[in-house]
Amino acid sequence: MTMHGRFRIVTENTVFAMPEASLGLFPDVGASHFLSRLPGFFGEYLGLTGAQLDGNEMLASGLATHFIPLKDLLLLENALSELGPSDTSTIDDIVNRFKDDPPLKPESIFRRLKTINRCFSGKTVEEILLSLENEAASGAEKWIDKAISSMKAASPTSLKIALRSIREGRGQTLEQCLIREYTIARHMVRRTVSNDFYEGSRAILFDKDNNPKWEPSKPELVTDEMVDRHFTEIYGIDEDWDKLRLPERSNFTNIAEARL
């Protein structure tokens, strides 16, 4: 949830990933908003493969706003704790005193953005996989083989939902993204089309056999109609579910402070 905050601080110990498709779910809680705004098609890469990033990569890609060395984190906390009511510019000044800008490692995946853009710009999951396989056939780097393996192990339905969700997110506000993602999640919980969320949870989280039986089992078997149904509002069909209603942004700060 902090991905939508003004200050997104990372350290050398930070690890970020969006592995939801491997569970039969999809990147939610506004992920289609922030993933779609990363450079090129880096968001599609993260959402479809579940790849991990470190703090340096988060900063370089825009997922983080500040990199603070771990040794300075307590100093930053102490400096911030001495503040009274402050505006964001005051907080920004303090955070900037401790920030660092470490270089990306030579093997960083963010240095492979050109190849990522070439592969993950495909219109469909099938096209993306084919592009990756073509890269792998030409003796490409190991990260491509890992991306292929991750995608083939994930729920095919989740991959197609994730791709469409990220693509739609590029033209939507955060509020629109949250409402759409809530609709998708409701369909998954209701098993409108597929049991993959429950099957993935069973295989990965509970039984831990790491052998989910996805249905459909391949991307080419997941039809457009199946995907479309996840994006269709079910308000009024199921009385146990109501449409997501977000507070007005002008009142959101007061609501949050009242709960604190």
Side-chain angles (χ1 to χ4, degrees), residues 139-210:
E141 297 174 290
K142 290 183 178 179
W143 71 266
I144 293 182
D145 289 329
K146 189 172 182 179
I148 294 170
S149 297
S150 297
M151 289 182 66
K152 288 189 173 181
S155 159
T157 302
S158 292
L159 290 176
K160 290 203 168 186
I161 289 170
L163 181 60
R164 176 170 166 181
S165 182
I166 294 169
R167 296 274 165 88
E168 288 194 3
R170 281 198 171 89
Q172 295 180 328
T173 64
L174 174 58
E175 288 82 358
Q176 289 172 323
C177 288
L178 288 169
I179 291 171
R180 173 176 40 73
E181 291 170 5
Y182 180 68
T183 296
I184 297 170
R186 286 190 297 170
H187 281 290
M188 287 187 163
V189 171
R190 295 178 78 248
R191 313 183 205 205
T192 302
V193 174
S194 170
N195 189 53
D196 280 4
F197 173 48
Y198 292 90
E199 173 61 11
S201 298
R202 177 204 66 77
I204 307 300
L205 301 178
F206 299 109
D207 294 346
K208 298 184 179 180
D209 58 34
N210 294 314

XYZ file of all heavy atoms in Angstrom, residues 139-210:
574
model
N 20.707 -17.480 -27.574
C 21.769 -17.502 -26.571
C 21.754 -16.305 -25.663
O 22.810 -15.798 -25.272
N 20.573 -15.818 -25.299
C 20.451 -14.631 -24.467
C 20.816 -14.932 -23.017
O 21.143 -16.061 -22.655
C 19.026 -14.087 -24.559
N 20.720 -13.919 -22.179
C 21.134 -14.033 -20.786
C 20.175 -14.906 -19.972
O 19.037 -15.143 -20.360
C 21.225 -12.636 -20.179
C 22.270 -11.769 -20.838
C 22.246 -10.346 -20.306
O 21.272 -9.623 -20.601
O 23.191 -9.981 -19.614
N 20.651 -15.327 -18.804
C 19.904 -16.281 -17.981
C 18.587 -15.703 -17.473
O 17.642 -16.456 -17.206
C 20.762 -16.723 -16.792
C 21.945 -17.609 -17.184
C 22.717 -18.071 -15.964
C 23.870 -18.992 -16.365
N 24.646 -19.444 -15.182
N 18.503 -14.378 -17.313
C 17.274 -13.805 -16.777
C 16.095 -14.093 -17.686
O 14.943 -14.180 -17.218
C 17.419 -12.299 -16.539
C 17.480 -11.455 -17.784
C 18.595 -11.044 -18.432
C 16.366 -10.935 -18.526
N 18.261 -10.299 -19.543
C 16.909 -10.204 -19.616
C 14.989 -11.006 -18.377
C 16.097 -9.554 -20.548
C 14.180 -10.357 -19.306
C 14.729 -9.645 -20.369
N 16.349 -14.274 -18.971
C 15.264 -14.551 -19.912
C 14.712 -15.955 -19.676
O 13.493 -16.167 -19.667
C 15.744 -14.373 -21.365
C 16.057 -12.901 -21.615
C 14.696 -14.873 -22.352
C 16.504 -12.584 -23.017
N 15.599 -16.921 -19.470
C 15.142 -18.281 -19.154
C 14.318 -18.278 -17.866
O 13.306 -18.983 -17.760
C 16.333 -19.224 -18.997
C 17.023 -19.517 -20.321
O 16.342 -19.515 -21.358
O 18.253 -19.763 -20.304
N 14.746 -17.496 -16.886
C 14.017 -17.418 -15.617
C 12.648 -16.782 -15.815
O 11.653 -17.223 -15.218
C 14.840 -16.621 -14.601
C 14.279 -16.671 -13.194
C 15.232 -16.024 -12.213
C 14.685 -16.119 -10.791
N 15.615 -15.511 -9.797
N 12.583 -15.756 -16.676
C 11.299 -15.106 -16.951
C 10.331 -16.081 -17.618
O 9.144 -16.134 -17.278
C 11.511 -13.883 -17.834
N 10.844 -16.860 -18.576
C 10.011 -17.851 -19.254
C 9.494 -18.883 -18.266
O 8.293 -19.220 -18.245
C 10.800 -18.538 -20.383
C 11.136 -17.532 -21.485
C 10.010 -19.711 -20.963
C 12.106 -18.056 -22.527
N 10.387 -19.388 -17.420
C 9.995 -20.407 -16.437
C 8.951 -19.869 -15.470
O 7.979 -20.561 -15.139
C 11.228 -20.882 -15.658
O 12.158 -21.510 -16.510
N 9.136 -18.640 -15.022
C 8.191 -18.046 -14.081
C 6.814 -17.887 -14.706
O 5.787 -18.186 -14.078
C 8.705 -16.686 -13.606
O 9.914 -16.824 -12.894
N 6.771 -17.424 -15.945
C 5.493 -17.222 -16.607
C 4.796 -18.547 -16.890
O 3.577 -18.666 -16.735
C 5.685 -16.431 -17.897
C 6.030 -14.965 -17.667
S 6.200 -14.014 -19.199
C 4.507 -14.077 -19.824
N 5.561 -19.551 -17.280
C 4.950 -20.847 -17.576
C 4.476 -21.566 -16.312
O 3.610 -22.438 -16.385
C 5.934 -21.717 -18.351
C 6.132 -21.251 -19.790
C 6.943 -22.241 -20.608
C 6.977 -21.831 -22.079
N 7.740 -22.784 -22.925
N 5.040 -21.197 -15.163
C 4.614 -21.800 -13.904
C 3.407 -21.082 -13.310
O 2.713 -21.634 -12.457
C 5.768 -21.791 -12.898
N 3.140 -19.859 -13.760
C 2.042 -19.058 -13.216
C 0.703 -19.461 -13.826
O 0.641 -20.177 -14.836
C 2.310 -17.575 -13.468
N -0.361 -18.994 -13.210
C -1.705 -19.239 -13.741
C -1.874 -18.523 -15.077
O -1.722 -17.296 -15.154
C -2.754 -18.725 -12.755
O -3.994 -18.498 -13.402
N -2.199 -19.245 -16.146
C -2.413 -18.592 -17.443
C -3.521 -17.542 -17.408
O -3.404 -16.482 -18.035
C -2.778 -19.760 -18.363
C -2.135 -20.955 -17.733
C -2.266 -20.711 -16.260
N -4.577 -17.834 -16.653
C -5.659 -16.858 -16.535
C -5.170 -15.602 -15.831
O -5.461 -14.478 -16.259
C -6.839 -17.469 -15.751
O -7.298 -18.652 -16.430
C -7.994 -16.482 -15.644
N -4.401 -15.783 -14.763
C -3.875 -14.638 -14.026
C -2.949 -13.797 -14.895
O -2.952 -12.565 -14.813
C -3.126 -15.112 -12.778
O -4.020 -15.666 -11.840
N -2.133 -14.440 -15.718
C -1.230 -13.705 -16.599
C -2.005 -12.809 -17.552
O -1.653 -11.635 -17.754
C -0.356 -14.672 -17.393
C 0.716 -15.434 -16.622
C 1.422 -16.421 -17.555
C 1.735 -14.490 -16.000
N -3.069 -13.334 -18.120
C -3.841 -12.538 -19.076
C -4.591 -11.397 -18.389
O -4.698 -10.291 -18.927
C -4.803 -13.442 -19.846
C -4.090 -14.380 -20.808
C -4.989 -14.857 -21.922
C -4.188 -15.546 -23.024
N -5.004 -15.900 -24.189
N -5.087 -11.666 -17.191
C -5.764 -10.613 -16.431
C -4.762 -9.534 -16.035
O -5.041 -8.332 -16.151
C -6.442 -11.215 -15.191
C -7.650 -12.060 -15.616
C -6.873 -10.112 -14.219
C -8.249 -12.876 -14.504
N -3.590 -9.949 -15.575
C -2.561 -8.995 -15.149
C -2.128 -8.103 -16.305
O -1.990 -6.880 -16.143
C -1.359 -9.741 -14.579
N -1.914 -8.691 -17.469
C -1.475 -7.909 -18.627
C -2.527 -6.873 -19.010
O -2.219 -5.694 -19.200
C -1.185 -8.821 -19.810
C -0.695 -8.119 -21.082
C 0.603 -7.370 -20.827
C -0.529 -9.128 -22.224
N -3.768 -7.291 -19.088
C -4.831 -6.342 -19.448
C -4.998 -5.273 -18.371
O -5.182 -4.083 -18.691
C -6.145 -7.083 -19.651
C -7.312 -6.138 -19.922
C -8.538 -6.870 -20.360
N -9.716 -6.013 -20.296
C -10.948 -6.399 -20.608
N -11.160 -7.638 -21.039
N -11.961 -5.562 -20.505
N -4.892 -5.668 -17.115
C -5.061 -4.719 -16.019
C -3.990 -3.634 -16.054
O -4.283 -2.439 -15.902
C -5.009 -5.465 -14.676
O -5.220 -4.586 -13.593
N -2.750 -4.019 -16.275
C -1.655 -3.043 -16.351
C -1.841 -2.127 -17.550
O -1.655 -0.902 -17.460
C -0.299 -3.765 -16.405
C -0.035 -4.499 -15.092
C 0.835 -2.780 -16.696
C 1.145 -5.444 -15.138
N -2.232 -2.710 -18.677
C -2.413 -1.896 -19.886
C -3.550 -0.890 -19.701
O -3.450 0.269 -20.107
C -2.683 -2.819 -21.075
C -1.492 -3.752 -21.402
C -0.500 -3.080 -22.322
N 0.781 -3.761 -22.388
C 1.098 -4.744 -23.231
N 0.186 -5.192 -24.097
N 2.303 -5.270 -23.232
N -4.636 -1.311 -19.077
C -5.744 -0.385 -18.836
C -5.341 0.689 -17.829
O -5.790 1.840 -17.911
C -6.980 -1.136 -18.334
C -7.670 -1.968 -19.404
C -9.055 -2.433 -18.995
O -9.507 -2.055 -17.891
O -9.688 -3.166 -19.778
N -4.481 0.317 -16.892
C -4.069 1.250 -15.858
C -3.343 2.469 -16.389
O -3.345 3.525 -15.746
N -2.728 2.357 -17.561
C -1.980 3.485 -18.123
C -2.870 4.695 -18.393
O -2.405 5.821 -18.363
C -1.293 3.063 -19.424
C -0.029 2.282 -19.204
C 0.865 2.241 -20.443
N 2.148 1.662 -20.089
C 2.413 0.363 -20.131
N 1.489 -0.477 -20.555
N 3.601 -0.096 -19.754
N -4.134 4.448 -18.646
C -5.026 5.557 -18.962
C -6.024 5.857 -17.870
O -7.022 6.544 -18.115
N -5.769 5.347 -16.655
C -6.729 5.521 -15.581
C -6.103 6.174 -14.359
O -4.887 6.123 -14.159
C -7.327 4.159 -15.184
C -8.154 3.511 -16.290
C -8.730 2.174 -15.859
O -8.129 1.445 -15.072
N -9.899 1.842 -16.384
N -6.943 6.763 -13.531
C -6.502 7.323 -12.261
C -6.313 6.185 -11.259
O -6.745 5.051 -11.488
C -7.538 8.301 -11.708
O -8.753 7.570 -11.411
C -7.848 9.409 -12.705
N -5.693 6.504 -10.137
C -5.529 5.495 -9.086
C -6.881 4.996 -8.612
O -7.074 3.795 -8.403
C -4.734 6.093 -7.914
C -4.601 5.203 -6.674
C -3.949 3.865 -7.022
C -3.820 5.930 -5.581
N -7.840 5.922 -8.441
C -9.170 5.508 -7.988
C -9.814 4.530 -8.966
O -10.397 3.515 -8.554
C -10.069 6.740 -7.823
C -9.730 7.606 -6.623
C -8.579 8.579 -6.884
O -8.011 8.566 -8.003
O -8.234 9.346 -5.982
N -9.697 4.807 -10.256
C -10.265 3.908 -11.267
C -9.584 2.544 -11.232
O -10.242 1.515 -11.381
C -10.132 4.546 -12.639
C -11.044 5.735 -12.868
C -10.746 6.461 -14.170
O -9.586 6.594 -14.576
N -11.786 6.937 -14.843
N -8.280 2.553 -11.031
C -7.543 1.295 -10.960
C -7.978 0.462 -9.755
O -8.185 -0.749 -9.860
C -6.029 1.555 -10.887
S -5.290 2.145 -12.424
N -8.134 1.101 -8.610
C -8.541 0.385 -7.405
C -9.935 -0.214 -7.562
O -10.184 -1.354 -7.149
C -8.500 1.324 -6.197
C -7.109 1.722 -5.699
C -7.214 2.860 -4.686
C -6.381 0.532 -5.090
N -10.840 0.543 -8.154
C -12.203 0.046 -8.356
C -12.195 -1.142 -9.318
O -12.862 -2.166 -9.081
C -13.110 1.178 -8.874
C -13.335 2.220 -7.765
C -14.451 0.621 -9.364
C -14.025 3.483 -8.226
N -11.444 -1.029 -10.408
C -11.366 -2.137 -11.375
C -10.732 -3.372 -10.752
O -11.213 -4.497 -10.928
C -10.578 -1.703 -12.610
C -10.297 -2.838 -13.585
C -9.610 -2.358 -14.849
N -8.598 -1.353 -14.624
C -7.403 -1.599 -14.073
N -7.096 -2.825 -13.677
N -6.523 -0.627 -13.903
N -9.647 -3.175 -10.012
C -8.976 -4.318 -9.385
C -9.875 -4.996 -8.348
O -9.849 -6.221 -8.194
C -7.675 -3.849 -8.728
C -6.606 -3.432 -9.739
C -5.420 -2.736 -9.112
O -5.375 -2.659 -7.861
O -4.552 -2.267 -9.852
N -10.671 -4.211 -7.660
C -11.617 -4.778 -6.700
C -12.637 -5.662 -7.411
O -12.993 -6.747 -6.922
C -12.319 -3.649 -5.953
C -13.323 -4.091 -4.915
C -12.915 -4.732 -3.751
C -14.680 -3.849 -5.095
C -13.831 -5.128 -2.792
C -15.612 -4.239 -4.141
C -15.177 -4.876 -2.991
O -16.090 -5.269 -2.039
N -13.098 -5.207 -8.559
C -14.036 -5.998 -9.354
C -13.399 -7.314 -9.783
O -14.015 -8.389 -9.673
C -14.487 -5.211 -10.594
O -15.206 -4.038 -10.176
C -15.378 -6.057 -11.494
N -12.164 -7.253 -10.270
C -11.465 -8.474 -10.693
C -11.316 -9.433 -9.517
O -11.571 -10.641 -9.638
C -10.085 -8.124 -11.272
C -10.212 -7.266 -12.525
C -9.301 -9.399 -11.598
C -8.896 -6.684 -13.009
N -10.901 -8.903 -8.368
C -10.690 -9.740 -7.188
C -11.979 -10.417 -6.748
O -11.978 -11.583 -6.334
C -10.114 -8.899 -6.050
N -13.093 -9.715 -6.840
C -14.381 -10.310 -6.472
C -14.696 -11.511 -7.345
O -15.160 -12.553 -6.873
C -15.498 -9.271 -6.589
C -15.491 -8.241 -5.474
C -16.745 -7.409 -5.500
N -16.850 -6.643 -6.738
C -17.937 -5.983 -7.109
N -19.020 -6.009 -6.355
N -17.959 -5.300 -8.235
N -14.427 -11.364 -8.649
C -14.683 -12.493 -9.551
C -13.791 -13.680 -9.210
O -14.229 -14.835 -9.270
C -14.459 -12.064 -10.998
C -15.592 -11.283 -11.587
N -16.812 -11.858 -11.874
C -15.691 -9.976 -11.950
C -17.624 -10.947 -12.393
N -16.967 -9.791 -12.445
N -12.552 -13.412 -8.849
C -11.649 -14.511 -8.505
C -12.096 -15.215 -7.227
O -12.066 -16.444 -7.143
C -10.226 -13.978 -8.341
C -9.567 -13.610 -9.658
S -7.839 -13.171 -9.426
C -7.248 -13.306 -11.133
N -12.521 -14.438 -6.241
C -12.989 -15.028 -4.987
C -14.288 -15.807 -5.206
O -14.507 -16.866 -4.600
C -13.190 -13.926 -3.923
C -13.880 -14.484 -2.684
C -11.844 -13.320 -3.533
N -15.132 -15.322 -6.098
C -16.402 -15.994 -6.396
C -16.233 -17.160 -7.360
O -17.168 -17.896 -7.630
C -17.406 -15.003 -6.998
C -17.840 -13.900 -6.065
C -18.796 -12.927 -6.753
N -20.141 -13.468 -6.848
C -20.735 -13.815 -7.981
N -20.095 -13.695 -9.131
N -21.968 -14.276 -7.981
N -15.023 -17.322 -7.911
C -14.722 -18.375 -8.891
C -15.644 -18.250 -10.104
O -16.153 -19.255 -10.632
C -14.854 -19.766 -8.264
C -14.179 -19.901 -6.919
C -14.288 -21.315 -6.378
N -14.190 -21.307 -4.917
C -13.786 -22.325 -4.180
N -13.452 -23.465 -4.755
N -13.727 -22.249 -2.882
N -15.864 -17.041 -10.542
C -16.744 -16.800 -11.678
C -16.314 -17.602 -12.897
O -17.149 -18.162 -13.612
C -16.752 -15.295 -12.037
O -17.179 -14.549 -10.900
C -17.692 -15.021 -13.192
N -15.029 -17.655 -13.137
C -14.497 -18.336 -14.317
C -13.564 -19.476 -13.932
O -13.583 -20.538 -14.549
C -13.744 -17.342 -15.230
C -13.065 -18.064 -16.386
C -14.689 -16.264 -15.748
N -12.752 -19.245 -12.922
C -11.672 -20.182 -12.629
C -11.500 -20.375 -11.127
O -11.822 -19.494 -10.323
C -10.357 -19.654 -13.232
O -9.253 -20.402 -12.798
N -10.969 -21.534 -10.769
C -10.653 -21.860 -9.383
C -9.183 -21.603 -9.066
O -8.684 -21.998 -8.012
C -10.979 -23.346 -9.135
C -10.881 -23.731 -7.674
O -11.489 -23.114 -6.802
N -10.075 -24.756 -7.389
N -8.481 -20.920 -9.962
C -7.019 -20.820 -9.859
C -6.534 -20.149 -8.584
O -5.486 -20.529 -8.044
C -6.447 -20.090 -11.081
C -6.317 -20.998 -12.286
O -6.737 -22.172 -12.198
O -5.809 -20.538 -13.325
N -7.243 -19.154 -8.076
C -6.796 -18.491 -6.857
C -6.772 -19.464 -5.689
O -5.820 -19.495 -4.894
C -7.693 -17.291 -6.545
C -7.411 -16.650 -5.217
C -6.108 -16.330 -4.840
C -8.441 -16.366 -4.337
C -5.849 -15.737 -3.610
C -8.183 -15.769 -3.111
C -6.893 -15.460 -2.746
N -7.786 -20.286 -5.580
C -7.848 -21.264 -4.499
C -6.833 -22.385 -4.719
O -6.202 -22.857 -3.767
C -9.267 -21.832 -4.389
C -10.265 -20.799 -3.921
C -10.944 -19.999 -4.829
C -10.509 -20.610 -2.566
C -11.850 -19.035 -4.399
C -11.411 -19.651 -2.118
C -12.076 -18.867 -3.048
O -12.965 -17.903 -2.626
N -6.675 -22.789 -5.963
C -5.710 -23.840 -6.272
C -4.283 -23.354 -6.025
O -3.444 -24.092 -5.477
C -5.869 -24.293 -7.726
C -4.807 -25.265 -8.218
C -4.743 -26.567 -7.458
O -5.654 -26.850 -6.655
O -3.772 -27.323 -7.655
N -3.995 -22.128 -6.417
C -2.659 -21.585 -6.181
C -2.368 -21.431 -4.698
O -1.249 -21.726 -4.243
N -3.357 -20.976 -3.941
C -3.185 -20.850 -2.491
C -2.943 -22.214 -1.857
O -2.101 -22.356 -0.962
C -4.422 -20.189 -1.873
O -4.614 -18.888 -2.384
N -3.684 -23.215 -2.329
C -3.485 -24.563 -1.804
C -2.064 -25.051 -2.047
O -1.371 -25.525 -1.136
C -4.466 -25.538 -2.475
C -4.288 -26.994 -2.029
C -4.801 -27.992 -3.053
N -4.026 -27.958 -4.293
C -2.810 -28.513 -4.425
N -2.214 -29.100 -3.415
N -2.191 -28.442 -5.597
N -1.610 -24.918 -3.305
C -0.326 -25.492 -3.699
C 0.876 -24.733 -3.144
O 1.904 -25.336 -2.832
C -0.237 -25.550 -5.223
N 0.748 -23.415 -3.032
C 1.895 -22.596 -2.628
C 1.897 -22.289 -1.132
O 2.947 -22.341 -0.484
C 1.919 -21.268 -3.416
C 1.837 -21.534 -4.928
C 3.170 -20.466 -3.088
C 2.962 -22.365 -5.483
N 0.715 -22.016 -0.565
C 0.658 -21.537 0.814
C 0.286 -22.602 1.833
O 0.773 -22.567 2.969
C -0.351 -20.377 0.916
C -0.066 -19.160 0.038
C -1.169 -18.128 0.205
C 1.292 -18.557 0.363
N -0.560 -23.548 1.454
C -1.069 -24.505 2.436
C -0.417 -25.888 2.314
O 0.359 -26.285 3.167
C -2.601 -24.594 2.327
C -3.276 -23.282 2.610
C -3.870 -22.566 1.593
C -3.303 -22.755 3.883
C -4.477 -21.336 1.842
C -3.908 -21.534 4.159
C -4.497 -20.825 3.131
N -0.715 -26.607 1.266
C -0.092 -27.919 1.089
C 1.390 -27.797 0.745
O 2.178 -28.691 1.025
C -0.801 -28.709 -0.021
C -2.231 -29.062 0.363
O -2.568 -28.943 1.556
O -3.001 -29.445 -0.532
N 1.737 -26.704 0.098
C 3.128 -26.394 -0.265
C 3.786 -27.482 -1.111
O 4.977 -27.755 -0.989
C 3.959 -26.139 1.005
C 3.464 -24.937 1.798
C 4.337 -24.635 2.996
C 3.815 -23.406 3.740
N 4.627 -23.059 4.921
N 2.993 -28.082 -2.007
C 3.574 -29.022 -2.952
C 4.133 -28.322 -4.185
O 4.790 -28.934 -5.022
C 2.550 -30.086 -3.361
C 1.288 -29.488 -3.979
O 1.370 -28.445 -4.667
O 0.207 -30.068 -3.776
N 3.835 -27.002 -4.291
C 4.333 -26.179 -5.402
C 3.995 -26.772 -6.766
O 4.767 -26.659 -7.720
C 5.855 -25.981 -5.287
C 6.226 -25.164 -4.064
O 5.623 -24.129 -3.793
N 7.201 -25.636 -3.306
